[in-house]
Amino acid sequence: LTAVGFLFGFRFDQGPVAALGFVALAVAFGFIWAWLAVRIGLTARQPESIGSAMNGPVLMLFFLSVGFVPVDGFPGVVQPIVRINPMSCAVNALIGLSSQGPVLVPVLQTMAWVVGLSALLAFDAIRRFRAG
């Protein structure tokens, strides 16, 4: 995706170390979704249902994130949820690593989500696999 983004003008303005951090963080964030797919796959009756079972949580997190709308664009009651959403943390971290904005806090928040959710989902998936 980053290579396609380059075709449309995406550039890393923060240097090569930040660019490597960008890619590493995106890959690490993908572990959450990989473990979620494994977890759902172990309980699904049909393999085809895995994608549809993941759509709900992923879409909800996606639309309640800062990916398209800044936090201030959401109603006040939803803003705390948007701020702590793992997608929002990842988006803020990737923006900081690629172009502008804070880096340390969003990266630490994203890594906390990655470690926490991946560990929880991996533990549950492995437990279900062994019980299998």
Side-chain angles (χ1 to χ4, degrees), residues 1-27 91 93-100 103:
L1 287 174
T2 306
V4 172
F6 262 66
L7 295 174
F8 292 101
F10 174 76
R11 299 291 182 265
F12 288 104
D13 297 332
Q14 302 295 359
V17 174
L20 289 173
F22 179 97
V23 173
L25 190 69
V27 169
V91 166
L94 294 175
I95 289 171
L97 288 167
S98 64
S99 58
Q100 62 182 350
V103 174

Side-chain angles (χ1 to χ4, degrees), residues 55-114:
N55 280 343
V58 172
L59 285 175
M60 185 174 61
L61 287 174
F62 185 68
F63 286 118
L64 288 175
S65 76
V66 296
F68 290 117
V69 179
V71 174
D72 299 338
F74 288 92
V77 72
V78 180
Q79 288 181 7
I81 295 168
V82 173
R83 279 190 183 91
I84 64 165
N85 179 340
M87 290 262 197
S88 292
C89 296
V91 166
N92 287 333
L94 294 175
I95 289 171
L97 288 167
S98 64
S99 58
Q100 62 182 350
V103 174
L104 181 62
V105 171
V107 167
L108 291 176
Q109 289 171 332
T110 303
M111 288 310 298
W113 278 113
V114 167

Side-chain angles (χ1 to χ4, degrees), residues 26-44 50-51 53-54 57-58 61 111-130:
V27 169
F29 194 69
F31 276 106
I32 296 172
W33 311 114
W35 279 114
L36 180 62
V38 169
R39 178 10 190 125
I40 291 172
L42 288 169
T43 58
I50 297 170
M54 287 185 65
V58 172
L61 287 174
M111 288 310 298
W113 278 113
V114 167
V115 170
L117 286 176
S118 294
L120 180 70
L121 291 165
F123 174 78
D124 187 47
I126 292 167
R127 183 180 59 82
R128 287 178 185 274
F129 179 75
R130 287 185 179 162

